[in-house]
């Protein structure tokens, strides 16, 4: 009898082990455990970090009770550690510029409490969706921050220039949108400039003074000996928008082109905006513009291996007249 009970007990134990084995095998080869699924989803959910790049912005955030940091250097170190951890876990991370003034305005307009981590997280998501970001690929913050600031400045410049063009209204003669016409004209000037610049790596800068600020746009292109110039479409649109402001406002803005090619010195050419077109500068004017400090007006030593050349005729069509 005891042997029969033992036999029955052993049979039940084996059956329990087989059932557990089948369950584990099903989980291993079938539907993963819920915890595993959540971990997979977490790895595939991108992360965004709102970064306070300078000490002044950091000091502004310290006024919030829930902001946990009191030292900017420590804060940057912790951010970099977080980014490295996310990258080690195979997660994609982007960095957005966190502006305390914009954050306060956002919270006031949204009717939310600014002194919470949830509000900071919500604002970060908003600026990442609409503003400038940089993807983290393992670079140091010292390398990442200048790129982020540059992109934020470009974004702000483009937005401001777009608003200026939008506020110009329509032509009293033909009813055409003046801002749109100016953008079309600027695009034509840019395309003609790139077509006549020839082969090489081209670096263009457009500078336009306005009542409130000095607008700057930069464009990098490359053109082989055959085929058209290759350029980033976003950079091209930004450059054309700033140039359009100069066209529409009849500003005294200017354009500088620097061309690099193998086995030859860099060449620098320049133009001024005049009557909706690009009027070539002389070689002396280009030299003076390029070798003068824009802030102090003091002369700057010319670069070695650079030729300062007159602007050239880009063959643009004559502009239409609007008022």
């Amino acid at each position: 009898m005891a042997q029969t009970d033992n036999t029955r007990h052993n049979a039940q134990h084996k059956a329990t082990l087989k059932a557990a084995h089948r369950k584990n095998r099903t989980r291993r080869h079938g539907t993963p455990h819920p915890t595993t699924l959540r971990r997979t989803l977490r790895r595939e959910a991108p992360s965004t970090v709102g970064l306070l790049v300078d000490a002044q912005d950091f000091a502004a955030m310290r006024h919030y009770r829930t902001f946990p940091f009191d030292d900017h250097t420590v804060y940057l170190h912790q951010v970099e550690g977080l980014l490295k951890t996310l990258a080690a876990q195979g997660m994609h991370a982007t960095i957005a510029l966190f502006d305390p003034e914009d954050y306060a305005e956002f919270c006031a307009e949204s009717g939310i409490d600014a002194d919470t981590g949830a509000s900071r997280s919500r604002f970060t998501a908003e600026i990442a969706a609409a503003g400038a970001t940089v993807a983290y690929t393992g670079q140091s913050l010292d390398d990442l921050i200048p790129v982020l600031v540059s992109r934020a400045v470009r974004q702000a410049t483009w937005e401001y220039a777009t608003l200026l063009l939008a506020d110009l209204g329509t032509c009293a003669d033909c009813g055409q949108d003046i801002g749109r016409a100016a953008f079309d004209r600027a695009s034509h000037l840019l395309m003609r400039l790139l077509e006549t610049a020839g082969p090489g790596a081209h670096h263009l800068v457009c500078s336009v003074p306005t009542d409130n600020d000095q607008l700057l746009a930069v464009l990098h292109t490359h053109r082989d000996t055959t085929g058209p110039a290759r350029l980033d479409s976003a950079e091209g649109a930004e450059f054309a928008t700033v140039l359009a402001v100069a066209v529409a406002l009849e500003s005294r803005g200017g354009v500088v082109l620097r061309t690099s090619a193998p086995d030859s010195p860099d060449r620098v050419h320049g133009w001024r905006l005049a009557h909706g077109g690009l009027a070539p500068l002389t070689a002396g004017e280009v030299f003076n513009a390029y070798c003068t400090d824009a802030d102090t007006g003091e002369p700057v030593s010319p670069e070695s291996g650079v030729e300062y050349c007159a602007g050239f005729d880009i063959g643009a069509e004559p502009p239409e007249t609007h008022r």
Side-chain angles (χ1 to χ4, degrees):
M1 184 68 179
Q3 184 177 4
T4 302
D5 290 340
N6 288 336
T7 301
R8 186 181 300 113
H9 175 74
N10 290 337
Q12 290 174 347
H13 181 63
K14 290 180 180 179
T16 301
L17 290 175
K18 287 182 179 179
H21 177 70
R22 284 196 301 270
K23 183 177 180 180
N24 288 335
R25 182 175 59 189
T26 301
R27 182 168 291 165
R28 188 165 54 246
H29 299 289
T31 303
H33 191 278
T35 302
T36 303
L37 289 173
R38 285 193 295 271
R39 288 173 180 167
T40 301
L41 287 173
R42 182 70 187 93
R43 285 196 300 269
E44 296 182 4
S47 296
T48 304
V49 176
L51 184 64
L52 298 161
V53 298
D54 59 45
Q56 183 176 355
D57 288 345
F58 180 83
M61 292 303 296
R62 288 192 62 197
H63 294 128
Y64 296 109
R65 178 184 55 82
T66 59
F67 186 71
F69 296 95
D70 56 14
D71 183 276
H72 190 226
T73 301
V74 172
Y75 162 80
L76 293 176
H77 179 74
Q78 292 298 320
V79 169
E80 192 158 23
L82 171 63
L83 292 172
K84 290 179 180 179
T85 299
L86 293 173
Q89 295 173 350
M91 297 174 60
H92 177 75
T94 57
I95 299 87
L97 190 67
F98 196 106
D99 185 281
E101 291 185 5
D102 290 345
Y103 173 63
E105 292 178 5
F106 169 80
C107 292
E109 292 173 357
S110 303
I112 59 177
D113 183 4
D115 201 358
T116 68
S119 295
R120 292 191 290 272
S121 177
R122 179 174 167 181
F123 175 69
T124 298
E126 291 281 343
I127 58 176
T133 61
V134 174
Y136 178 72
T137 57
Q139 68 271 52
S140 68
L141 285 187
D142 289 340
D143 294 330
L144 186 151
I145 287 176
V147 176
L148 178 60
V149 172
S150 175
R151 290 188 181 179
V153 170
R154 281 176 47 196
Q155 175 93 6
T157 299
W158 176 78
E159 290 176 353
Y160 178 64
T162 300
L163 288 174
L164 284 178
L165 294 176
D167 288 341
L168 293 177
T170 57
C171 175
D173 289 335
C174 64
Q176 187 176 13
D177 185 286
I178 296 176
R180 181 71 231 182
F183 182 83
D184 291 341
R185 176 64 181 171
S187 299
H188 171 69
L189 294 176
L190 176 58
M191 289 300 101
R192 289 302 309 153
L193 179 55
L194 294 178
E195 288 173 8
T196 53
H202 303 299
H203 177 84
L204 294 93
V205 178
C206 179
S207 175
V208 179
T210 67
D211 292 339
N212 300 318
D213 207 349
Q214 181 86 7
L215 300 183
L216 286 174
V218 178
L219 177 64
H220 300 86
T221 73
H222 182 86
R223 183 176 179 183
D224 296 325
T225 53
T226 59
R230 301 191 301 272
L231 68 157
D232 180 87
S233 58
E235 273 195 6
E238 292 164 5
F239 192 94
T241 301
V242 171
L243 182 57
V245 170
V247 171
L249 301 181
E250 298 184 352
S251 169
R252 54 184 177 85
V255 173
V256 172
L257 166 68
R258 179 167 180 158
T259 299
S260 302
D263 304 320
S264 62
D266 285 5
R267 304 187 313 276
V268 178
H269 304 267
W271 296 259
R272 68 168 61 90
L273 268 295
H275 309 295
L278 290 176
L281 297 176
T282 67
E285 289 173 325
V286 172
F287 179 88
N288 289 336
Y290 218 83
C291 298
T292 301
D293 189 289
D295 296 324
T296 65
E298 296 295 322
V300 177
S301 299
E303 295 183 59
S304 61
V306 175
E307 294 182 355
Y308 300 94
C309 311
F312 46 82
D313 183 8
I314 64 173
E317 298 175 359
E320 297 181 3
T321 303
H322 296 274
R323 65 175 185 269

